[in-house]
Amino acid sequence: MKVQIALVLLLALVSAQTGGWKKQNTTIFQATNSNIINEAQVAVQNKYQPEEQGYDFEQVISVETQVVAGTNYNIVLQYGNDEGSIQQYDVIIYSAPWNGQDQITKCEQINGSSASFTQNQATSNESQEQPKLQITKPSSLRLKVRRQDKADSHATGTWENINPEVFEQSNENIINQANIVVAQQYNPQQQGYEFDEVLEVQTQMVSGTNYNIKLLYTNGEGSFQTYDVYLYICPWNPSANQYKATLTGTYSI
């Protein structure tokens, strides 16, 4: 009986870690993943040339992510012209940091013709509900955030993307340690910011474990901060443990 229960829990954990699409906050995603948004815009421009038709990028309508052997990003972009007409494009990007190159696996104009790219890694979300059209003015939020290099000087293994919700539930001590490192280096609480959620987690098995964790802090007034935290944990030799936090941005919505 205990073996069966353990097997059920293990299967549930694996299912939660991979395959499922998760909606993301579009404003936060734009602030922390500007390179992914830029890649989606380049894919749209290369295939459809909306700017040549008088359409300019306005906003990100929706973002969903899917953890596979890497990460799929499903992004809906909106473009508009001076006459109030809009176009929307559905783009899927497959990203595997250890390969060093992202792949555009889908780029379609929602209300018109479509184009499919060679797909080797990602599974498209064909059953995804089409988002409703919205007409808005271009957002004034223009943020660029440096994405920290995922490879450490002593790292030898492969970085693996982990579902942050699953990781947080089963590794509370690691998240607490990451927050302690942030508090020691930056003390965001003194500025009125409190820990909100874990945005991203990557792990790497070496002689011990490397953790690369992106944390979100908010102040309840429309401002937020993001931190990249690196932890090296060696359970059998705690004196070798290493910690580092980097403030990657402070933003206001």
Side-chain angles (χ1 to χ4, degrees):
M1 179 61 71
K2 291 183 178 180
V3 173
Q4 292 177 334
I5 293 174
L7 180 59
V8 170
L9 292 175
L10 178 60
L11 291 174
L13 177 62
V14 172
S15 176
Q17 285 184 327
T18 60
W21 287 92
K22 178 183 177 183
K23 290 185 178 297
Q24 303 292 334
N25 181 296
T26 55
T27 301
I28 295 174
F29 187 88
Q30 281 184 269
T32 57
N33 296 274
S34 59
N35 61 321
I36 297 295
I37 300 300
N38 289 340
E39 289 178 20
Q41 290 180 251
V42 169
V44 169
Q45 180 62 24
N46 287 343
K47 186 61 185 179
Y48 295 99
Q49 295 87 42
E51 294 180 1
E52 280 72 7
Q53 305 170 41
Y55 289 84
D56 293 321
F57 171 68
E58 288 189 345
Q59 66 170 329
V60 177
I61 294 295
S62 65
V63 177
E64 290 188 333
T65 57
Q66 180 189 46
V67 177
V68 287
T71 303
N72 286 324
Y73 298 94
N74 193 178
I75 304 167
V76 176
L77 304 177
Q78 178 170 297
Y79 289 70
N81 65 11
D82 293 338
E83 286 71 41
S85 298
I86 62 172
Q87 295 178 348
Q88 289 188 339
Y89 299 88
D90 189 8
V91 181
I92 292 181
I93 299 173
Y94 169 72
S95 178
W98 51 89
N99 288 340
Q101 185 175 4
D102 296 344
Q103 297 178 4
I104 306 298
T105 59
K106 178 182 178 183
C107 182
E108 296 183 356
Q109 184 174 348
I110 291 177
N111 61 341
S113 58
S114 64
S116 59
F117 294 73
T118 301
Q119 181 173 350
N120 297 323
Q121 300 287 344
T123 301
S124 63
N125 187 21
E126 295 178 352
S127 62
Q128 181 180 352
E129 181 180 357
Q130 180 171 312
K132 297 180 180 179
L133 298 181
Q134 301 176 7
I135 300 177
T136 62
K137 294 296 182 181
S139 170
S140 61
L141 185 63
R142 296 293 183 265
L143 302 170
K144 292 184 178 181
V145 179
R146 177 183 58 82
R147 299 191 80 190
Q148 186 175 354
D149 186 5
K150 301 302 181 181
D152 183 74
S153 59
H154 64 77
T156 57
T158 299
W159 285 97
E160 178 184 2
N161 289 315
I162 305 296
N163 183 299
E165 293 181 354
V166 174
F167 184 87
E168 193 169 2
Q169 292 172 4
S170 56
N171 295 274
E172 184 178 355
N173 60 323
I174 298 297
I175 300 303
N176 288 341
Q177 183 61 57
N179 278 295
I180 289 173
V181 175
V182 170
Q184 290 175 341
Q185 291 188 222
Y186 294 95
N187 197 9
Q189 288 81 4
Q190 192 174 34
Q191 307 169 44
Y193 290 88
E194 299 291 339
F195 170 66
D196 189 284
E197 67 174 306
V198 180
L199 296 177
E200 297 178 9
V201 177
Q202 287 190 320
T203 61
Q204 182 187 49
M205 301 303 296
V206 287
S207 180
T209 305
N210 287 325
Y211 299 91
N212 208 331
I213 305 171
K214 185 183 292 292
L215 303 179
L216 173 69
Y217 283 69
T218 60
N219 68 356
E221 298 178 356
S223 295
F224 60 93
Q225 294 180 334
T226 54
Y227 294 88
D228 281 350
V229 183
Y230 166 78
L231 305 175
Y232 169 68
I233 305 296
C234 184
W236 55 88
N237 185 16
S239 62
N241 292 352
Q242 299 179 27
Y243 314 105
K244 180 183 178 181
T246 302
L247 173 63
T248 55
T250 300
Y251 314 105
S252 295
I253 300 175

